[in-house]
Amino acid sequence: YLASALRSAGHEVFGLNPNNDPNYASTYEMACDKISRSLKVVQPELIGLGGLCGDFKFIKDAMQIIRNLAPDIPVVCGGGIISNDAGFVFKTLRPDFCIIGEGEEILVQLVNMLESCRQDYEEISNLGYWKNKAAKFTKQDFTYIDIDKRKFPDYEPFGIDEMLDKFSMAAQYLYRYTRPRPRPMTIVTGRSCPFKCTFCVHERGPKYRVRSIENIIQELAFLYERYRFNILVILDELFAVNKLRLKEFCVAINNARKTQGWDF
């Protein structure tokens, strides 16, 4: 989604997928080699990192590798690991910037500002940055555009074809043998969660929003035509909360099987 937003705004995007390669002795060795080679080839002007809380060690290692090899390139960090505990994670991992919540518009604003050599970071909502060696956080505003108006995610910079061929055998036991040549594709049909359980991060932050079934089917049509996936993985945190919407989704999928020959 971030790559799609940046490209739509006229920026060049390069991706690195440092996962699921069995040709290394350790994950750290894989990260070192892939990040160092990517830095030499791409020579980026801004580096983005992100993930969930379970990715803390990888992001910490990646930050160290980047700082050792390219200390002058700014790094922006996002994802659940930031949104759920921005103060601690930003001060501990020490990227140059962090984005709290959904990142599409915020990242484009930040890149545009850096490109114009301005430093009026307080103008950008949901942003963390450093000022006089102190961490600063701008106002939080989780009012986003209609989720159906978001550009479909752009997987091309991240080696998606190779991942489709190898990912399930490298990582996912759940559907490894459901097809002779499993090609799992992911889709997000909604963001956040409708509940506010006190033990969960969704007690705060962006509200729950879902995409229309028509919008979902449009993306699936594009993905199936381009990638010919044969397993669909829905990444929503709580996909089946609305039974009526779930039925509408199933009817639309079955209709597309008949009319468009979808086989997954």
Coordinates of all heavy atoms in Angstrom, one line a residue, residues 1-13 108 112 149-152 154:
Y1 N 0.8 -1.2 0.0 CA 0.0 0.0 0.0 C 0.9 1.3 0.0 O 0.6 2.2 -0.7 CB -0.9 0.0 1.2 CG -2.2 -0.8 1.0 CD1 -2.4 -2.0 1.5 CD2 -3.3 -0.2 0.3 CE1 -3.6 -2.7 1.3 CE2 -4.4 -0.9 0.1 CZ -4.6 -2.2 0.6 OH -5.7 -2.9 0.4
L2 N 1.9 1.2 0.8 CA 2.8 2.4 0.8 C 3.5 2.6 -0.5 O 3.6 3.7 -1.0 CB 3.9 2.2 1.9 CG 3.3 2.1 3.4 CD1 4.4 1.8 4.3 CD2 2.5 3.4 3.8
A3 N 4.0 1.5 -1.1 CA 4.6 1.6 -2.4 C 3.6 2.2 -3.5 O 4.0 3.0 -4.3 CB 5.1 0.2 -2.9
S4 N 2.4 1.8 -3.4 CA 1.4 2.2 -4.3 C 1.1 3.7 -4.1 O 1.0 4.5 -5.1 CB 0.1 1.4 -4.2 OG -0.9 1.8 -5.1
A5 N 1.0 4.2 -2.9 CA 0.8 5.6 -2.6 C 1.9 6.4 -3.1 O 1.7 7.5 -3.6 CB 0.6 5.7 -1.1
L6 N 3.2 6.0 -2.8 CA 4.3 6.8 -3.2 C 4.5 6.8 -4.8 O 4.7 7.9 -5.3 CB 5.6 6.1 -2.7 CG 5.9 6.3 -1.2 CD1 7.0 5.4 -0.7 CD2 6.2 7.8 -0.9
R7 N 4.2 5.7 -5.4 CA 4.3 5.7 -6.9 C 3.2 6.6 -7.5 O 3.5 7.3 -8.5 CB 4.2 4.3 -7.4 CG 5.5 3.5 -7.3 CD 5.4 2.1 -7.9 NE 6.7 1.6 -8.2 CZ 6.8 0.4 -8.8 NH1 5.8 -0.3 -9.1 NH2 8.1 -0.1 -9.0
S8 N 2.0 6.6 -6.9 CA 1.0 7.4 -7.4 C 1.3 8.9 -7.3 O 0.8 9.7 -8.0 CB -0.3 7.1 -6.7 OG -0.7 5.8 -6.9
A9 N 2.1 9.2 -6.3 CA 2.5 10.6 -6.0 C 3.8 11.0 -6.8 O 4.3 12.1 -6.7 CB 2.8 10.8 -4.5
G10 N 4.2 10.1 -7.7 CA 5.3 10.4 -8.6 C 6.7 10.1 -8.1 O 7.7 10.5 -8.6
H11 N 6.8 9.3 -7.0 CA 8.1 8.9 -6.4 C 8.5 7.5 -6.9 O 7.7 6.7 -7.2 CB 8.0 9.0 -4.9 CG 7.7 10.3 -4.4 ND1 8.6 11.4 -4.5 CD2 6.6 10.8 -3.8 CE1 8.0 12.5 -3.9 NE2 6.8 12.1 -3.5
E12 N 9.8 7.3 -6.9 CA 10.3 6.0 -7.3 C 10.5 5.1 -6.1 O 11.0 5.6 -5.0 CB 11.7 6.2 -8.0 CG 12.2 5.0 -8.8 CD 13.4 5.3 -9.7 OE1 14.0 6.4 -9.4 OE2 13.7 4.5 -10.5
V13 N 10.1 3.8 -6.2 CA 10.1 2.9 -5.1 C 10.9 1.7 -5.4 O 10.6 1.1 -6.4 CB 8.6 2.5 -4.7 CG1 8.6 1.6 -3.5 CG2 7.8 3.8 -4.4
V108 N 3.7 10.0 2.1 CA 3.8 10.9 0.9 C 4.1 12.3 1.4 O 4.9 13.0 0.8 CB 2.5 10.8 0.1 CG1 2.5 11.9 -1.0 CG2 2.4 9.4 -0.5
N112 N 7.5 14.3 0.3 CA 7.4 15.6 -0.4 C 8.1 16.7 0.4 O 8.8 17.5 -0.2 CB 5.9 15.9 -0.6 CG 5.2 15.1 -1.6 OD1 5.9 14.4 -2.4 ND2 3.9 15.1 -1.5
K149 N -11.3 4.1 -1.7 CA -10.5 5.0 -2.6 C -9.0 4.9 -2.5 O -8.3 5.5 -3.2 CB -10.9 6.5 -2.2 CG -12.4 6.8 -2.5 CD -12.7 8.3 -2.2 CE -14.2 8.6 -2.6 NZ -14.5 10.0 -2.3
R150 N -8.6 4.0 -1.6 CA -7.1 3.7 -1.6 C -6.7 3.0 -2.8 O -7.4 2.1 -3.3 CB -6.8 2.8 -0.4 CG -6.9 3.5 1.0 CD -5.7 3.3 1.8 NE -5.8 3.9 3.1 CZ -5.5 5.1 3.5 NH1 -5.2 6.0 2.5 NH2 -5.6 5.5 4.7
K151 N -5.5 3.3 -3.3 CA -5.0 2.5 -4.4 C -4.7 1.1 -4.0 O -4.3 0.8 -2.9 CB -3.7 3.1 -4.9 CG -3.8 4.6 -5.4 CD -4.5 4.7 -6.7 CE -4.4 6.1 -7.2 NZ -5.2 6.3 -8.5
F152 N -4.9 0.1 -4.9 CA -4.6 -1.3 -4.6 C -3.1 -1.4 -4.3 O -2.3 -0.7 -4.9 CB -5.0 -2.2 -5.8 CG -6.5 -2.3 -6.1 CD1 -6.9 -2.6 -7.3 CD2 -7.4 -2.0 -5.1 CE1 -8.3 -2.7 -7.6 CE2 -8.7 -2.1 -5.3 CZ -9.2 -2.4 -6.6
D154 N 0.8 -2.3 -4.3 CA 1.7 -2.6 -5.4 C 2.8 -3.6 -4.9 O 3.6 -3.2 -4.1 CB 2.3 -1.3 -5.9 CG 3.3 -1.5 -7.1 OD1 3.5 -2.6 -7.5 OD2 3.8 -0.5 -7.6

